[in-house]
């Protein structure tokens, strides 16, 4: 039987490539903000692309803000955050300083000096992982990120941005880049790292 993945619907578009990636990994996928579907899923995905405050406000509008926090923290449902989806897990963002995030990580997302758009390699803290992925390029598209060292950060971009590219903490996997738009390299790294949370 296929595992069920719910891509959380908080009012952003452009999720077809994410659906395709999850389906390739043998997930049954739906886009939803319905608690009944989320209650029965094996994986929650917080997608990227969009405005920080719009995503948070839509979660609250649909009575999902505290519910999702509980599913992630207390129920330990495996959760993947991509780009904006990863940033929502933090306390707040300079994109909308008065809009509080899910506050699972008590740090602040900051505005970059210039938007980071395009393809980049990443460096893993783990030497074996770094050797495995050092020549692979991934697609980034964001103007905000977390740029301080984290104990649960697994990799970073070693260019002028110096941001965390991947975080891994208990049942949470976060990508600042878009694995679903990074072709075979993105599929490979997603498939490899998701094993750590399921």
């Amino acid at each position: 039987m296929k595992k069920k993945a719910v891509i959380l619907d908080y009012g952003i578009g452009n999720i077809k490539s994410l659906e395709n990636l999850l389906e390739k990994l043998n997930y049954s996928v739906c886009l939803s903000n319905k608690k009944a579907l989320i209650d029965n899923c094996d994986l929650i995905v917080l997608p990227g692309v969009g405005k920080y405050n719009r995503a948070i406000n839509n979660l609250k509008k649909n009575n999902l803000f505290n519910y999702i926090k509980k599913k992630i923290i207390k129920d330990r449902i495996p959760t993947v955050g991509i780009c904006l989806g990863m940033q929502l897990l933090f306390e707040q963002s300079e994109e909308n300083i008065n809009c509080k995030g899910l506050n699972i990580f008590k740090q602040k997302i900051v505005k970059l000096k210039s938007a980071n758009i395009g393809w980049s390699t990443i460096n893993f803290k783990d030497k074996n992982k770094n050797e495995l992925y050092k020549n692979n390029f991934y697609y980034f598209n964001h103007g905000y990120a977390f740029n301080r060292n984290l104990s649960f950060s697994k990799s970073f971009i070693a260019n002028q941005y110096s941001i965390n590219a991947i975080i891994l903490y208990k049942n949470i996997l976060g990508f600042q880049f878009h694995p679903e738009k990074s072709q075979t390299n993105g599929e490979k790294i997603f498939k490899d790292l998701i094993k750590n949370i399921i």
Side-chain angles (χ1 to χ4, degrees):
M1 182 180 293
K2 289 185 176 182
K3 290 186 176 181
K4 299 175 183 177
V6 171
I7 301 173
L8 198 59
D9 184 3
Y10 40 72
I12 67 170
N14 200 22
I15 61 139
K16 187 60 182 176
S17 54
L18 182 53
E19 289 179 333
N20 291 340
L21 172 59
L22 291 166
E23 286 170 355
K24 281 184 178 180
L25 299 179
N26 206 33
Y27 279 91
S28 172
V29 187
C30 70
L31 173 69
S32 181
N33 57 19
K34 304 301 182 185
K35 292 180 181 179
L37 288 174
I38 300 170
D39 278 338
N40 293 304
C41 77
D42 302 292
L43 180 70
I44 297 171
V45 182
L46 307 176
V49 185
K51 295 291 185 182
Y52 193 91
N53 63 335
R54 181 183 177 191
I56 291 294
N57 289 338
N58 281 340
L59 286 177
K60 291 179 178 178
K61 179 180 178 181
N62 291 292
N63 295 315
L64 290 174
F65 185 84
N66 291 322
Y67 167 82
I68 288 298
K69 286 184 67 172
K70 176 182 177 295
K71 299 304 287 185
I72 297 172
I73 298 173
K74 186 176 180 180
D75 298 343
R76 298 281 184 95
I77 302 300
T79 301
V80 176
I82 297 174
C83 197
L84 172 66
M86 184 179 102
Q87 295 174 14
L88 297 178
L89 299 169
F90 287 76
E91 181 179 5
Q92 62 183 150
S93 171
E94 289 184 353
E95 182 177 4
N96 304 102
I97 201 67
N98 295 320
C99 182
K100 299 297 184 181
L102 291 167
N103 199 26
I104 294 170
F105 305 126
K106 301 184 183 301
Q107 292 95 1
K108 183 171 70 174
I109 301 296
V110 301
K111 184 176 182 178
L112 303 177
K113 291 182 179 179
S114 61
N116 183 20
I117 302 173
W119 297 83
S120 179
T121 58
I122 60 177
N123 288 339
F124 273 85
K125 293 180 178 179
D126 181 286
K127 291 182 179 179
N128 291 329
K129 290 284 188 188
N130 203 48
E131 187 66 25
L132 182 62
Y133 294 113
K134 66 180 180 180
N135 295 318
N136 291 356
F137 283 79
Y138 305 95
Y139 183 70
F140 291 80
N141 185 4
H142 60 103
Y144 298 83
F146 188 75
N147 64 349
R148 295 185 181 181
N149 189 40
L150 289 170
S151 60
F152 51 87
S153 174
K154 296 302 176 183
S155 72
F156 57 93
I157 304 178
N159 59 16
Q160 71 269 28
Y161 299 102
S162 297
I163 63 169
N164 294 277
I166 298 172
I167 59 172
L168 183 61
Y169 179 78
K170 295 181 179 178
N171 56 306
I172 298 170
L173 172 61
F175 296 96
Q176 184 54 70
F177 58 92
H178 288 269
E180 79 280 13
K181 295 183 180 296
S182 300
Q183 302 172 358
T184 55
N185 287 339
E187 182 180 337
K188 179 181 177 182
I189 202 167
F190 191 100
K191 185 177 181 180
D192 180 15
L193 295 181
I194 200 171
K195 296 174 185 176
N196 292 280
I197 64 169
I198 58 175

